[in-house]
Amino acid sequence: MRKIFTALFIFLLVSCVGIPENITPVDNFNLEKYLGKWYEIARLDHSFERGLSKVTAEYTLRSDGGVKVLNRGYSDIEKKWKEAEGKAYFVQESDRGYLKVSFFGPFYGSYVVFEIDEVNYQYSLVCGPDRSYLWILSRNPAMPEELKAKLVDKAKRYCQMLWMMSFISVSVPAKIKQPLS
């Protein structure tokens, strides 16, 4: 019985850092160019971000070679900023947009960059371990509607969950400013 439990536990841990079928992480990924602040333009809604707007993610290098992840969002209900700090590491090669991220303990989830502005790293399309996690990120608080539509279209082709779930638009309006870092 113990062997079955251990095998199941290992399977669950591994499945959380898998890549959804038909999703291909970007090649020639450059972590140095990816580091810095990203604004969440849209996402598929999940309980851990529900009610948050003006969400940002800031990526910096850790001393152990990993990436420090600092997510910040404004709770409209509580009228205050919330933060979550995590860590990320490459799952395979460091030039492939495939990382695992953890915000609590030894549990990791996939962070798969499957579309990116290859020249200037101004936008990215990211999914998690399955098709129910999806984010459109930008270096700017707002994104041109044409580009946003292109990214949503790509997401719809690869993440069928979009047909069943709503995309939450989370661009940063001018009237509520981000806290100073």
Side-chain angles (χ1 to χ4, degrees), residues 115-173:
E115 175 76 20
I116 196 159
D117 167 16
E118 295 174 1
V119 177
N120 298 312
Y121 278 55
Q122 293 299 299
Y123 64 82
S124 67
L125 188 54
V126 179
C127 70
D130 62 48
R131 295 167 194 271
S132 70
Y133 297 91
L134 190 104
W135 297 268
I136 294 176
L137 304 177
S138 173
R139 291 294 188 175
N140 298 301
M143 176 180 277
E145 286 302 317
E146 184 177 312
L147 175 58
K148 184 176 174 182
K150 173 188 158 215
L151 293 172
V152 168
D153 284 345
K154 180 165 186 167
K156 284 180 181 178
R157 285 194 311 273
Y158 291 94
C159 297
Q160 290 87 3
M161 291 296 292
L162 280 175
W163 298 113
M164 297 182 288
M165 303 177 79
S166 60
F167 236 155
I168 307 297
S169 184
V170 291
S171 298
V172 179

Side-chain angles (χ1 to χ4, degrees), residues 43-79:
R43 68 172 181 258
L44 290 178
D45 195 31
H46 275 279
S47 60
F48 57 87
E49 286 185 295
R50 190 158 295 133
L52 297 181
S53 59
K54 303 143 215 55
V55 177
T56 62
E58 189 156 359
Y59 305 103
T60 55
L61 285 178
R62 292 171 45 98
S63 61
D64 66 359
V67 177
K68 176 183 169 186
V69 180
L70 181 61
N71 288 347
R72 226 180 242 149
Y74 188 76
S75 170
D76 295 316
I77 294 170
E78 297 176 32
K79 305 291 185 218

